Amino acid sequence: METLESPKLDPARKEMELREDRSDSPAADSGCLNGEDILALQDLDPAMNRKMHLVNDAIDEIGWTPYHTKLFFLNGFGYAVDSLVLLTQSVIAGSAYREFGKVGYERALTIAVYTGMLVGALFWGVTADAVGRRYAFNISLFICSMSAIIAGGMPNWASLGFWIACVGFGGGGNLILDTTVFLEYLPSSKQWVLTLLAAWWGLGQAITGFIAWGFLVPERWNCASVDSCTKDNNMGWRYVMFTSGALVFIMSILRVTIIRLMETPKYLLGLGDDEKVAETLQFLAAKYNRRCTLTAGMLDACGVVTSAHSKDRFSLGETLVHLRGLFATPKISLSTGLIWLSWAMVGLAYPLFYVFLPSYLASRGANLNVSTFDSWRNYALTNVVSIFGPVLAGWMCNQPVFGRKFTMLTGALMTAAFFFAYTSVRTGAQDVGFSCAIGFCLNIYYGTLYAYTPEVLPSAHRATGNGVAVACNRVMGILSAVIATVSDTSTSAPIYICAALLVAMGIVSVLFPFEPYGRRSS
């Protein structure tokens, strides 16, 4: 494709003309095309600020296209995989541990998957800022799928733990890349869709529930006791891993066949490749018969970006550049710190409910008259209902009265209320009802936090900041496994802990210094 020649116009004058021309663009209808970028007033790299402003204008000018629809589904696969991976290890752990003679650390798989996700979040986050989003986006799912299939054939507890960690490593990059890639192509009028994207997380949970319900209930695939347990009469957990791995493999193939991901224009800005930025957006506009008046000359006139990378992008200095960029000003420092704190708190609250819910339900089975079949059915139902939390959150965060911050506050406080109420559960119907309500409300908060994090991080350092945030979450997940080992998860104590953490998360969300509603990501 030919690159348009740059007109010899003053950039400021050109910008005024473009604002008039874009009054009929798709974004203009939403009232979001006000030219206000979230971090524009934070005294960052002046050249980057000016170029980001022009790129955001161009993306708004193009609007939503079928390319964005494809990204919504294919990036959603990554969300689904992350939750599927996280829950799969928890649902198979009991059966696998029984088959291997209950030898070794009982919570080893939880620690393995969280360790893998911790390393994966940091590795893929830093890599995506250093060498680009596209490679990690295409590779991470494939690693995850192959590792899951291999894990299903493992002969002992230690080897299973290793491959579960590899599954976590591949899946650990998905949440970072999915939100980052999707956001960096989104027009401002559709930034709320980033919150809706978290519905795929609930879908992944639901898929896990249905797979477990199908394979972990039949007696012919699940042994009754450690004394009589062999591979031949305990294939249920292996079928769960094979099925999950196959699904993820199909998703990884679809990612590279349905869409040829182009490097995001906001990443290219940091590289200083103005021509490629303009070419990418012009190609997108031409393919879908949209208008794009951005040229390389307009970007070049804004100056040279100096803050995005070190001299050697494959060095420790590169990582330090990205970390420093997350604390460039006092306000950005406060934002980064509160985001990482929120991820750490939800990283403890979330697994104490979801990852250990099977053991909690099992411990109450006698009192609630819940059979194995009913336990896994209830597990699946809870996860199906959780799909709709981000759907409501997507609507709420696009309303002026809520925005992102008060959507998170609402979700956190509603979840805390249901956690407290859950301690009074006495019947099977109450158990299912409260579990579904908790899954729904918790995903209002979680889905919004997932979207809020990349929205307020500087684009040049977005993947690194997102990666560290997710890493904080995984560290607390590992800690939750240790807590589960030394405490009794069949009691209501974890529920009160989760409720207190959720109240704290709601308070922190109100303290966030940036509100993305009506503004464009920088």
Side-chain angles (χ1 to χ4, degrees), residues 158-182:
S159 59
L160 176 61
F162 172 79
W163 286 105
I164 289 293
C166 292
V167 171
F169 174 76
N174 278 301
L175 285 181
I176 300 158
L177 273 301
D178 293 328
T179 53
T180 298
V181 169
F182 193 45

Side-chain angles (χ1 to χ4, degrees), residues 192 392-404 407 515 517:
W192 63 270
L392 177 60
W395 176 82
M396 290 175 64
C397 74
N398 202 39
Q399 305 303 310
V401 68
F402 289 111
R404 274 53 159 180
T407 297
E515 172 53 68
Y517 174 76

Side-chain angles (χ1 to χ4, degrees), residues 180-194:
T180 298
V181 169
F182 193 45
L183 175 65
E184 292 184 353
Y185 273 108
L186 273 180
S188 60
S189 63
K190 295 292 189 289
Q191 277 184 205
W192 63 270
V193 180
L194 194 63

Side-chain angles (χ1 to χ4, degrees), residues 194-455:
L194 194 63
T195 300
L196 178 62
L197 189 71
W200 286 89
W201 173 272
L203 180 61
Q205 292 175 318
I207 291 173
T208 304
F210 283 117
I211 293 174
W213 189 13
F215 289 120
L216 298 181
V217 172
E219 293 182 1
R220 66 182 182 277
W221 293 332
N222 297 277
C223 59
S225 67
V226 65
D227 297 328
S228 60
C229 203
T230 66
K231 178 180 178 181
D232 292 336
N233 67 5
N234 196 48
M235 289 295 292
W237 72 267
R238 297 180 187 274
Y239 291 149
V240 170
M241 294 306 300
F242 293 149
T243 304
S244 301
L247 283 174
V248 178
F249 179 72
I250 292 172
M251 294 175 184
S252 67
I253 295 300
L254 292 176
R255 268 195 171 181
V256 296
T257 55
I258 289 183
I259 192 169
R260 298 286 298 276
L261 183 70
M262 300 175 287
E263 192 55 81
T264 68
K266 293 186 179 181
Y267 173 76
L268 294 171
L269 273 187
L271 291 182
D273 195 346
D274 295 339
E275 185 171 336
K276 188 66 175 178
V277 172
E279 181 182 333
T280 298
L281 292 172
Q282 289 165 5
F283 173 81
L284 193 62
K287 183 174 182 179
Y288 298 107
N289 196 28
R290 302 297 174 85
R291 190 177 177 199
C292 180
T293 48
L294 180 70
T295 68
M298 293 166 60
L299 293 171
D300 185 62
C302 295
V304 178
V305 174
T306 59
S307 62
H309 295 283
S310 65
K311 293 181 180 179
D312 182 3
R313 286 191 288 140
F314 301 94
S315 66
L316 177 61
E318 175 74 5
T319 303
L320 295 177
V321 165
H322 294 308
L323 289 174
R324 283 196 297 267
L326 298 169
F327 298 90
T329 69
K331 195 171 182 179
I332 291 177
S333 298
L334 176 63
S335 175
T336 300
L338 291 179
I339 286 171
W340 290 355
L341 175 62
S342 297
W343 277 90
M345 288 192 292
V346 77
L348 182 59
Y350 186 87
L352 281 179
F353 178 71
Y354 272 115
V355 174
F356 302 117
L357 182 60
S359 61
Y360 183 79
L361 290 176
S363 70
R364 302 175 71 86
N367 296 329
L368 300 177
N369 247 352
V370 179
S371 65
T372 303
F373 178 89
D374 289 339
S375 291
W376 290 114
R377 179 206 62 189
N378 296 347
Y379 191 63
L381 286 175
T382 300
N383 291 325
V384 168
V385 171
S386 69
I387 296 174
F388 300 98
V391 176
L392 177 60
W395 176 82
M396 290 175 64
C397 74
N398 202 39
Q399 305 303 310
V401 68
F402 289 111
R404 274 53 159 180
K405 292 162 58 172
F406 285 96
T407 297
M408 284 186 276
L409 173 65
T410 303
L413 295 183
M414 288 174 63
T415 307
F418 282 116
F419 267 129
F420 282 124
Y422 196 86
T423 58
S424 64
V425 165
R426 295 294 180 269
T427 68
Q430 292 173 343
D431 180 44
V432 176
F434 279 112
S435 295
C436 290
I438 289 169
F440 177 85
C441 296
L442 181 57
N443 274 16
I444 292 177
Y445 174 85
Y446 221 153
T448 310
L449 180 64
Y450 270 125
Y452 179 88
T453 300
E455 276 190 298

